[in-house]
Amino acid sequence: MPTSSLGPEVIEIWFRAVDVTGVFCAAVIGAKLARERRFDAVGFATLAVISALGGGMTRDVLLQQIPVAFTDPFYLGGALLGATVAFFWRLESKWTNRMITVADALCLGCWAATGAQKTLALGLGVLPAMMMGLTTAVGGSIIRDVMVGKIPKIFGGANLYATPAATSAVIMVVFFKLNMPVLGMALSIIAALIFVLLAQWRGWVLPEALDLSINLTPRQFRQLLRLRDTKPQDSKDTNPVTKDKNTSGSD
């Protein structure tokens, strides 16, 4: 009895710790962008909060729920702490960036799985769950980049980020349907971590659109239409069976 009652609580605390750690790291990433743009303290706090909590808040609003950032002080506190740390320290060393990348990958899988799980728990379908998982994972970074006039990195030109989030959301959907959400959450986090680190190491990116163009003038288009209209008549005249029937009829 004590073990079964404490087990889920310990797991929930662990996942919550990963979630808040991701909030902190996402806030640091947003605040580092504020440093690049030479923003003041208000700019640091704004970009940090948007980067860390924007996706989750958007998800909760779309699902008609009170955002968790308003009910759990650790989320907003973690975002502001990340902004404060990045405001006083540059955090540009190689090992610091690696640690932030690992923590960001962990929270990516956690957020994608959380968004998918919450959506499925409300009785919605698989596609809405996938959309909410992606919104939770990458929504904050999209809003942050748009606010500073940048094209979001997930739209191209950067290593895979949205794809690992989608993979984590799929894993969560599958295990939620199997009534194993805790295992799904753990596997989603691990999968996102491995996927993101491999993408960083190997430089994986999604293929861009093919540069193919078809130039057709109005005159050429009219000629194609004319050929299409004349083909049945030509085939009728040259058909040997029809020709024989016409010949036999004349005899």
Side-chain angles (χ1 to χ4, degrees):
M1 180 68 177
T3 305
S4 59
S5 61
L6 291 178
E9 294 179 0
V10 173
I11 293 174
E12 184 179 355
I13 292 174
W14 186 81
F15 284 140
R16 183 164 172 262
V18 173
D19 204 10
V20 175
T21 302
V23 167
F24 173 81
C25 292
V28 169
I29 294 173
K32 288 179 67 176
L33 180 58
R35 179 180 289 277
E36 294 175 4
R37 297 302 176 98
R38 304 184 67 84
F39 288 175
D40 59 10
V42 174
F44 269 75
T46 301
L47 287 190
V49 171
I50 290 297
S51 179
L53 304 176
M57 294 176 68
T58 303
R59 173 205 65 213
D60 292 338
V61 169
L62 290 175
L63 296 178
Q64 298 183 357
Q65 294 184 335
I66 299 175
V68 67
F70 295 164
T71 60
D72 191 336
F74 281 95
Y75 284 83
L76 185 57
L80 293 177
L81 179 61
T84 303
V85 170
F87 184 80
F88 288 103
W89 291 278
R90 298 185 64 88
L91 301 175
E92 293 180 351
S93 67
K94 180 174 66 175
W95 286 104
T96 300
N97 290 328
R98 287 179 178 178
M99 291 175 60
I100 293 176
T101 299
V102 170
D104 189 40
L106 290 173
C107 80
L108 182 75
C110 183
W111 289 351
T114 300
Q117 181 183 13
K118 285 190 172 184
T119 306
L120 292 172
L122 292 175
L124 299 177
V126 172
L127 289 181
M130 293 286 299
M131 185 178 70
M132 289 297 100
L134 283 173
T135 300
T136 307
V138 303
S141 62
I142 293 177
I143 300 172
R144 176 200 66 212
D145 291 342
V146 170
M147 287 182 66
V148 297
K150 288 180 57 179
I151 297 176
K153 291 183 178 181
I154 67 167
F155 291 165
N159 295 327
L160 296 182
Y161 195 75
T163 305
T167 303
S168 297
V170 170
I171 294 173
M172 188 67 226
V173 168
V174 172
F175 281 88
F176 186 90
K177 295 294 184 180
L178 296 175
N179 294 322
M180 293 186 290
V182 175
L183 180 59
M185 178 70 75
L187 292 179
S188 297
I189 294 173
I190 295 173
L193 175 63
I194 295 174
F195 207 153
V196 169
L197 293 182
L198 284 176
Q200 293 281 344
W201 177 44
R202 304 293 296 178
W204 290 345
V205 296
L206 290 177
E208 297 180 356
L210 298 178
D211 190 12
L212 298 178
S213 60
I214 300 177
N215 297 322
L216 192 65
T217 64
R219 181 180 178 182
Q220 292 171 334
F221 182 70
R222 289 194 297 268
Q223 289 177 348
L224 288 176
L225 291 179
R226 194 176 298 115
L227 288 174
R228 187 194 65 176
D229 294 337
T230 57
K231 266 188 175 182
Q233 185 65 30
D234 295 341
S235 61
K236 182 178 179 180
D237 295 338
T238 58
N239 192 341
V241 177
T242 307
K243 186 176 181 180
D244 291 343
K245 285 184 179 181
N246 293 335
T247 305
S248 62
S250 63
D251 291 342

